[in-house]
Amino acid sequence: SGVTDYSIRVWDTHTSSLLLTLTGHTNMVMCCAFSSCGNYIYSGSADCSVIKWEASTGALLYRYEDNKDSGGKNMVM
């Protein structure tokens, strides 16, 4: 789930416990999804960035930042 502090929270749906809090965006998180293999989480933000996270640890693996002047028009998810 995305929250107002620009982080992403990953929850265990069986126990309702918080597993991970992912921080790295500097504006609202607009979308997030697990990869088909379940090993990665991808998130996109209003800060014109896309981040690839390791799903098991929450480690930030890669950050792509678009030119903020383009308004995110160059980003593809």
Side-chain angles (χ1 to χ4, degrees), residues 17-69:
S17 61
L18 179 64
L19 299 175
L20 298 168
T21 300
L22 311 177
T23 57
H25 288 293
T26 59
N27 206 328
M28 290 179 9
V29 176
M30 306 303 286
C31 58
C32 60
F34 279 90
S35 63
S36 60
C37 65
N39 293 332
Y40 308 106
I41 299 169
Y42 294 88
S43 59
S45 170
D47 64 8
C48 297
S49 71
V50 174
I51 297 178
K52 178 181 179 180
W53 312 87
E54 186 172 337
S56 61
T57 65
L60 192 157
L61 299 176
Y62 182 78
R63 179 185 183 93
Y64 171 79
E65 290 190 65
D66 190 28
N67 180 338
K68 294 193 182 358
D69 293 333

